[in-house]
């Protein structure tokens, strides 16, 4: 699950650079939102795995 979060972070960093250099393009804005969703999914998945492991 951590890998999903890392991919999301890399996606957001790349999109912020693209937005900085060419703010007129819309695609980086949408993929930045997708990257944020990946970060959240990785965090939630990591917490779920951690909580499940400690319950047993």
């Amino acid at each position: 699950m951590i890998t999903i979060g890392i991919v999301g972070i890399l996606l957001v960093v790349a999109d912020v650079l693209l937005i900085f250099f060419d703010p007129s393009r819309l695609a980086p804005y949408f993929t930045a939102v997708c990257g944020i969703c990946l970060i959240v999914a990785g965090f939630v998945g990591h917490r779920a795995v951690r909580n499940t492991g400690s319950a047993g």
Side-chain angles (χ1 to χ4, degrees):
M1 293 300 155
I2 291 293
T3 307
I4 294 172
I6 292 171
V7 169
I9 291 169
L10 293 174
L11 185 62
V12 169
V13 169
D15 288 332
V16 167
L17 289 174
L18 284 173
I19 291 168
F20 179 75
F21 288 117
D22 191 9
S24 63
R25 293 178 32 187
L26 291 178
Y29 296 99
F30 296 117
T31 53
V33 171
C34 293
I36 292 169
C37 290
L38 285 175
I39 294 169
V40 171
F43 178 73
V44 169
H46 178 69
R47 284 186 51 95
V49 168
R50 191 176 67 191
N51 289 340
T52 303
S54 65

